[in-house]
Amino acid sequence: MTSIAERARLRVTRQQSEMAAVTLLDLTHTRSSQCDIWVKKRIGEFRALTGNGSQEPVFIIADPESPVGTGRFARSSLQEMFIGFSDSPQVLCKSSLSAALYDFKQAIDKEDISNVKIVTSSRGRGLFQVYQELLFTSAYNFEYSIMFENPSCDCCPPGQCTADAERELGTFLQHLPALKGDIAILRASFISDCFGHGFSTRTGGISYISTLSSLNLFCNPRRKDSRAVVAENLRRLGLQAGFHPHQFNLIKCNHASDVWVMGKPAPDSYDGMVTNQVGVVIAAPGADCMPLLFTDPIAKAIGVAHAGWKGTLMGIAMATVNAMVSEFGSRPADIVCVIGPSVGPCCFTLEQDSAREFHAIHPDCVRRIDSSKPYVDIRHATRILLERGGIKPEHIEDLRIPHKSDSTLCTSCHPELFFSHVRDGLNFGTQIGFVWIK
């Protein structure tokens, strides 16, 4: 048990991490004939701005052809310019702004720093804000100081800047090596060949933060994996699975039972999605919650659902089946359902009141019902509810890990394969189940 003193120390450490900041000094676009003078002047202005000293780490971002990047400013010279600062500045001279900012992000993530001060020009601020949206999330705090103007800076219009930044960053991310091995896709045996489908695992992506590494497929603004990184992970998954990201549609979950019929106005959030459109990829996320896939080879219709314990009790699985029936003429007896990776009853507990609702579905859904936090089997509950709704037992596949067909699949028990909220806490990554009509 953690002592009071230890809890206090952890709280102080967390507060210090939240308060810690870094400063990024922008010295890009310094290629004029007098750039040496310009750089020295900018550093002098920066020293004046900080009161000739700073206890915060300082990063300098510069063009490779600038004096900072070519060696005309030796490290000893830079150290002299930053006397009074806690550390010598770290200079980021990369082939592109994308590469430099990616290195910067990795450096501050390693120290768990979220507060960033950027010292730049008014024109530079617009470009950095574009990259802020692409490469960071709202888990970071940005503060801009406009210190100088650079007359040699030829800035593009805002729209063009965004397009150019997206293109440059996308190209950079595509060339990063995959982490934790190759992409591995789990597939079900029950689904007909007229459908493409799969369940992602956590390997083969570029996400480097430990609990999100490496094929995280969901950008949560409260976490530190950016939408550009998640988009690159999805691109790599699509190449392996056989779909294009432009065809991809992910459920907007709310842990409830709303279902979106594609082609109709979409609700603000929904945990089920159905379609009969050929080539459209629909997907459900999961990180302990179940991604469910539904296929009807007779009516040529498909559905996906995100089913956590709340959605299971609210009936999201059968709500998805019923949407396929009402919208596309499916019959429950023709529908095949695959229950994707999720937390197992070995690791998942609920408060007794909620556990008793699962016990009411079937006693086998709960272990140790008389304990304060019984263990709950959401997968078994889903199977029972689907069978009661008319899905044939032989049409329900409980996905297993390849070559371990008799082992219970549990996301929390397999950190090498899956993300897990139960295991990893609030900064968990996300895998998906996906399906499309060929």
Side-chain angles (χ1 to χ4, degrees), residues 82-350:
F82 284 88
I83 291 174
F85 286 73
S86 59
D87 294 297
S88 297
Q90 298 185 50
V91 181
L92 302 169
C93 285
K94 296 292 181 177
S95 58
S96 67
L97 186 55
S98 295
L101 286 174
Y102 193 79
D103 276 9
F104 172 71
K105 184 177 185 296
Q106 284 186 306
I108 66 173
D109 285 342
K110 183 178 180 181
E111 301 299 325
D112 197 23
I113 295 174
S114 301
N115 296 314
V116 180
K117 300 177 181 178
I118 296 182
V119 180
T120 183
S121 66
S122 58
R123 291 181 177 180
R125 176 174 62 182
L127 182 58
F128 277 93
Q129 285 175 332
V130 170
Y131 277 95
Q132 178 187 332
E133 289 296 316
L134 292 172
L135 201 50
F136 297 84
T137 68
S138 56
Y140 301 84
N141 299 309
F142 281 80
E143 176 185 329
Y144 288 85
S145 294
I146 308 305
M147 188 180 68
F148 48 77
E149 294 298 340
N150 184 356
S152 67
C153 176
D154 297 322
C155 288
C156 56
Q160 184 181 337
C161 276
T162 300
D164 290 347
E166 287 179 342
R167 185 162 46 252
E168 180 192 277
L169 181 58
T171 300
F172 168 74
L173 295 177
Q174 286 181 24
H175 288 87
L176 291 179
L179 302 176
K180 292 190 173 181
D182 298 326
I183 288 177
I185 299 173
L186 304 181
R187 290 189 170 88
S189 60
F190 284 18
I191 293 182
S192 165
D193 289 340
C194 65
F195 304 102
H197 82 283
F199 295 90
S200 69
T201 62
R202 70 178 300 171
T203 62
I206 62 169
S207 302
Y208 59 81
I209 295 171
S210 60
T211 55
L212 303 173
S213 178
S214 66
L215 194 70
N216 173 41
L217 292 168
F218 182 68
C219 177
N220 186 315
R222 297 186 299 275
R223 299 173 205 142
K224 293 187 174 182
D225 224 3
S226 69
R227 63 185 180 94
V229 167
V230 170
E232 173 57 18
N233 287 340
L234 179 63
R235 187 193 70 84
R236 295 185 184 205
L237 176 66
L239 282 176
Q240 185 75 15
F243 66 80
H244 194 282
H246 292 316
Q247 304 165 308
F248 182 81
N249 300 270
L250 185 66
I251 279 173
K252 296 180 180 179
C253 353
N254 192 33
H255 297 277
S257 58
D258 292 322
V259 178
W260 178 35
V261 180
M262 294 191 73
K264 294 187 175 182
D268 293 335
S269 61
Y270 43 93
D271 286 78
M273 182 163 38
V274 296
T275 187
N276 62 353
Q277 299 176 39
V278 175
V280 173
V281 182
I282 58 176
D288 296 333
C289 297
M290 297 169 287
L292 306 177
L293 304 187
F294 301 88
T295 59
D296 179 354
I298 308 302
K300 293 293 191 299
I302 54 176
V304 293
H306 162 265
W309 70 268
K310 292 181 181 178
T312 300
L313 292 176
M314 294 178 71
I316 182 59
M318 279 309 301
T320 307
V321 169
N322 292 336
M324 294 173 67
V325 170
S326 62
E327 297 293 331
F328 311 125
S330 294
R331 297 188 312 152
D334 296 329
I335 294 175
V336 171
C337 175
V338 181
I339 304 172
S342 74
V343 70
C346 47
C347 297
F348 184 60
T349 63
L350 283 174

Side-chain angles (χ1 to χ4, degrees), residues 27-31 61-70 92-94 97 150:
L27 296 182
T28 56
H29 305 96
T30 57
R31 303 178 188 178
I61 189 164
D63 294 310
E65 294 84 357
S66 77
V68 178
T70 57
L92 302 169
C93 285
K94 296 292 181 177
L97 186 55
N150 184 356

Side-chain angles (χ1 to χ4, degrees), residues 37-52:
I37 298 172
W38 188 89
V39 168
K40 290 178 180 178
K41 184 178 179 182
R42 298 293 80 82
I43 293 177
E45 291 175 357
F46 176 67
R47 288 187 60 89
L49 179 72
T50 57
N52 286 321

